[in-house]
Amino acid sequence: MRYWLMKSEPSEVSIDDAWSAPKRTVAWTGVRNYQARNFMRDTMQVGDGVLFYHSSCAEPGIVGLAEVASTAYPDHTQFEPDSHYYDPKATQETPRWMMVDVRIKKKTRLLSLAEMRTMPELSGMVLLQRGSRLSITPVTADEWNFICKQLA
């Protein structure tokens, strides 16, 4: 089992939106970074743990626990000319962008980015590294377990 931190802008899909979705499951659309795409396509497996993270908001941080609910499949927004995520180079035969479904397991208190930065146990976390901007990052088992204890 692997663990991931997945960032979502609350104005796009918030934890409340995901919680209200059928089966508490949302498609993780709009990833347009090759490394993040490759994590979904090549490494993520159904059942992997997910830290649901609100980004680009007043107080960014972890707001819930989730799991990967599907294997990767083509992100439909790459084919939609009216979509912000449209990619004219993508075709149905050779899609460039993938997505997975994510199922919310639990809404939690906000564990803010600022609070995480004060925790020595998380000093090696990819999210907290200088210049880290990926929307999907791996999380170690030790980081996952520590964070889950903070959210209990």
Side-chain angles (χ1 to χ4, degrees):
M1 181 169 183
R2 291 189 169 94
Y3 304 99
W4 307 94
L5 182 136
M6 298 178 75
K7 295 179 182 177
S8 180
E9 296 179 16
S11 60
E12 292 267 335
V13 176
S14 71
I15 188 79
D16 292 326
D17 295 333
W19 188 261
S20 299
K23 299 182 183 179
R24 295 187 176 139
T25 302
V26 293
W28 210 265
T29 62
V31 173
R32 294 299 182 267
N33 173 282
Y34 288 108
Q35 188 174 2
R37 182 221 41 205
N38 293 349
F39 285 144
M40 289 191 292
R41 185 190 68 195
D42 302 334
T43 313
M44 282 186 178
Q45 297 179 20
V46 173
D48 281 358
V50 173
L51 299 172
F52 195 108
Y53 184 96
H54 279 175
S55 65
S56 300
C57 57
E59 194 167 13
I62 296 166
V63 293
L65 301 175
E67 68 181 357
V68 176
S70 75
T71 56
Y73 59 99
D75 181 342
H76 60 89
T77 62
Q78 68 190 310
F79 309 121
E80 299 169 358
D82 293 337
S83 171
H84 175 70
Y85 300 110
Y86 175 64
D87 185 339
K89 294 180 182 176
T91 66
Q92 296 284 347
E93 297 75 30
T94 56
R96 296 176 76 183
W97 305 109
M98 306 300 280
M99 63 183 180
V100 296
D101 293 340
V102 173
R103 180 180 307 111
I104 302 304
K105 307 274 284 179
K106 178 182 177 183
K107 292 197 300 184
T108 65
R109 75 171 182 88
L110 172 69
L111 180 59
S112 72
L113 178 62
E115 185 178 354
M116 285 188 279
R117 288 193 188 284
T118 70
M119 299 172 168
E121 297 86 350
L122 300 179
S123 63
M125 193 171 186
V126 174
L127 171 72
L128 303 180
Q129 301 311 303
R130 177 171 272 229
S132 176
R133 296 189 39 81
L134 280 179
S135 61
I136 298 172
T137 56
V139 174
T140 69
D142 286 343
E143 292 162 350
W144 173 269
N145 291 328
F146 179 79
I147 289 169
C148 287
K149 286 178 188 169
Q150 302 309 303
L151 298 173

